[in-house]
Every structure is written in C-alpha cells, then in structure tokens.
C-alpha cells in the first residue's frame, strides 16, 4: 500500500489515504500499556502524536485512534473555506523529506466542528488526546476567538498556528503579534488549554522573547516546531535540493530529517524559560524510534509525526513504541 501511495503525486496520495481511512482500511496497531501518561489532565495511551496537516478537517479521527496514536491534532482549520495556494503545492524530496505550500486549504469551520462532535461520542476517544490547530490567514483577532470558542467543547487542547509559512500575511509572527493572537484565542477557549506553535529558529534571544511574551499572554504550552520556509533555509545544513518556486519566488516549508536538530534545540531552550509542569510537544524530523527517544530526552512531553508517517507508514508507530521506555512517560 505504501509503495502504491508513493507512485501518486503527493496531494493525490494524501487524498487516497484519507479516502481509504474513511472506508475502514487503516491498520490496527497494538499499544504498549506501559506508555500511558497524563496530558492536559487526560490519561492517554502513549505520547505519540499525529501533527496538524494530516487530517485537516478531522475527517477520520477514529482511524488515527485505531492506528495507535495517543494524540491527534486535527486541522489547521480556518473560519471560512479556503482554496489554498495554486497547484502544484506539495513536493517530495530525497531522504524522506517534503516541501508543502498548501496555504491552509479546507472547507472552513462548520464541517470541522461536525466531525469533532461526531468523534466526541466515539468510544475510541477515551484514551486519545484530541487537539485542534487553528489559524487566521489574515491575522484577524476576532477569528482566533471565534475558532477557539467553537472547537473548545470538543477537544482537549487548542494549538494556535502562529508560524505557518504558507500564507501571505506573515512568515513568522513577532512576539507582540503572537501575544495578541494568544490573548484572543484564550478569550474563546475558556478552560481548554491553548498552545502556540513556534516557527523554527536558532536565535536564542528571539526565542526567549517569544516564549516570555506567550507566557505573559497566558499560553498553556508550546509546540516546537513548524516547517522551515525558504527565508530560514540556512537551518538546513545539508540542503541538496532545489527549492520549488511560484512566479520565480521560492515557496513552501520543508519538513523532514534535517528539522530534527532544530526542533530538539528549541525544546531544550523553551524548557529553560517555562514552568516544569508546562507541556511542550516536539515535532519535526522524527522518523525513527531513536529520533523519538531523543526528542523526549530533550524535554518534550510528547511528540508529533507527519512526514515520517508519509515516508515509513504506520509501522513507524510500532517502532517508536518499542523504543520508548516506560519511564519516558511524564
């Protein structure tokens, strides 16, 4: 099945995957019972998460649960329907990497909420932590509040996508802008925790400013990190590919193995500035059990996958579960 999907164009392969999961064709993987932990006040089966982007409309949440994930972050959802960027907008790269320039396509909030509400009644939800990634492509504060208020009753946490490189209004949100976004989302979220997803960086001073601004705004946790845009391509030390272009301008964000070192560094840096009890989810470049262990040892409470799942299939979950010692659960 994985070989067949790799023969299709990337976006077609994703659509085929979602269609197959809707038909119940997804695998059912076993879970190690000694990896259970508590996250956002909920007991979950393991700290292995699916990152935003894989299930943009929360369309197949039961399938991810059966596959063995302990965390599923649906979205990113926007308030209104969006076509996204013109195609082609996804590219496979050598060495199990991907560049995407999707531009947050989707049908908007209403179908997303219907899918979340349906899954909330599903028995497989009981030991799976469900999150929703939200964004306002135009940075409209009221949209963050509306989105957060709408999804809060159905999820265990909300992630504010403050660093999506594939929309026009910004590459990386400055700390004051991110703080305003967080405040708005918090107004709508009520008691549901709000996390912020940070863009990749090796600038310790700028990262500290961002973290402290987010804390002052009331953030409940962090996700590190997002994809690497062309403007930050210096973070990719071994770049052996030509960046895709649209109208002679480089576009998209890189995800793949070269992101792991940056993501781990960011997790370690974030940990220096936040309370020990505050959750951090590490995402970026995790493509093996060893990668997952290293991310957790860097200070992450949990990890998220997407590109690794594309490259290696659901068997990666079993590999990671086998590599994680029981003591890794926090």
């Amino acid at each position: 099945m994985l070989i067949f999907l790799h023969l299709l164009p990337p976006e077609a392969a994703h659509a085929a995957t979602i269609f197959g999961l809707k038909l119940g064709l997804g695998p059912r993987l076993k879970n190690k019972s000694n990896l259970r932990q508590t996250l956002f006040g909920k007991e979950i089966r393991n700290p292995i998460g699916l990152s935003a982007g894989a299930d943009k409309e929360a369309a197949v949440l039961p399938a991810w649960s059966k596959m063995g994930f302990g965390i599923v972050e649906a979205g990113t959802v926007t308030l209104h329907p969006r076509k996204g960027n013109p195609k082609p907008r996804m590219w496979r790269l050598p060495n199990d990497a991907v560049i995407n320039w999707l531009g947050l396509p989707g049908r908007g909030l209403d179908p997303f909420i219907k899918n979340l509400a349906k899954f909330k009644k599903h028995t497989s939800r009981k030991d799976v932590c469900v999150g929703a990634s939200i964004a306002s492509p135009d940075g409209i504060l009221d949209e963050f509040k509306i989105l957060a208020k709408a999804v809060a009753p159905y999820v265990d946490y909300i992630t504010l996508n403050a660093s999506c490189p594939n929309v026009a209004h910004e590459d990386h949100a400055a700390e004051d802008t991110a703080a305003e976004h967080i405040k708005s989302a918090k107004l709508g979220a009520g008691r549901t925790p709000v996390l912020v997803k940070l863009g990749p960086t090796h600038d310790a001073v700028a990262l500290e400013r961002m973290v402290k601004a987010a804390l002052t705004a009331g953030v409940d946790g962090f996700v590190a990190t997002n994809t690497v845009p062309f403007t930050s391509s210096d973070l990719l030390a071994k770049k052996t590919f030509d960046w895709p272009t649209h109208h002679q301008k480089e576009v998209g964000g890189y995800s793949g193995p070269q992101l792991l070192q940056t993501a781990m560094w960011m997790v370690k840096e974030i940990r220096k500035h936040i309370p020990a009890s505050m959750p951090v989810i590490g995402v970026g470049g995790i493509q093996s059990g060893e990668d997952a262990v290293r991310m957790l040892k860097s200070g992450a409470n949990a990890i998220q996958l997407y590109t690794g799942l594309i490259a290696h299939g659901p068997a990666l979950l079993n590999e990671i579960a086998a590599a994680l010692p029981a003591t890794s659960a926090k």
Side-chain angles (χ1 to χ4, degrees), residues 84-147:
N85 291 322
K87 297 179 181 180
R89 52 192 185 179
M90 287 189 72
W91 299 267
R92 294 191 188 97
L93 302 177
N95 301 317
D96 299 327
V98 171
I99 286 181
N100 94 75
W101 185 55
L102 291 170
L104 303 179
R107 294 187 297 155
L109 181 60
D110 289 345
F112 189 81
I113 293 297
K114 289 179 181 178
N115 288 335
L116 285 178
K118 183 177 180 180
F119 184 60
K120 187 172 183 178
K121 301 176 182 179
H122 203 280
T123 56
S124 65
R125 187 188 189 279
K126 61 183 180 181
D127 57 357
V128 177
C129 188
V130 180
S133 173
I134 65 173
S136 170
D138 299 312
I140 300 173
L141 292 181
D142 281 349
E143 290 191 0
F144 292 107
K145 180 180 177 181
I146 294 168
L147 287 163

Side-chain angles (χ1 to χ4, degrees), residues 170-190:
E170 60 190 357
D171 287 330
H172 297 285
E175 59 266 22
D176 55 346
T177 303
E180 292 302 312
H181 294 177
I182 292 165
K183 291 176 183 177
S184 182
K186 289 284 291 183
L187 287 174

Side-chain angles (χ1 to χ4, degrees), residues 138-202:
D138 299 312
I140 300 173
L141 292 181
D142 281 349
E143 290 191 0
F144 292 107
K145 180 180 177 181
I146 294 168
L147 287 163
K149 185 175 181 179
V151 302
Y154 306 104
V155 298
D156 301 298
Y157 73 96
I158 298 167
T159 296
L160 180 63
N161 191 347
S163 55
C164 178
N166 297 324
V167 291
H169 74 277
E170 60 190 357
D171 287 330
H172 297 285
E175 59 266 22
D176 55 346
T177 303
E180 292 302 312
H181 294 177
I182 292 165
K183 291 176 183 177
S184 182
K186 289 284 291 183
L187 287 174
R191 295 184 178 182
T192 303
V194 173
L195 282 67
V196 62
K197 189 171 189 176
L198 302 179
T201 183
H202 278 173

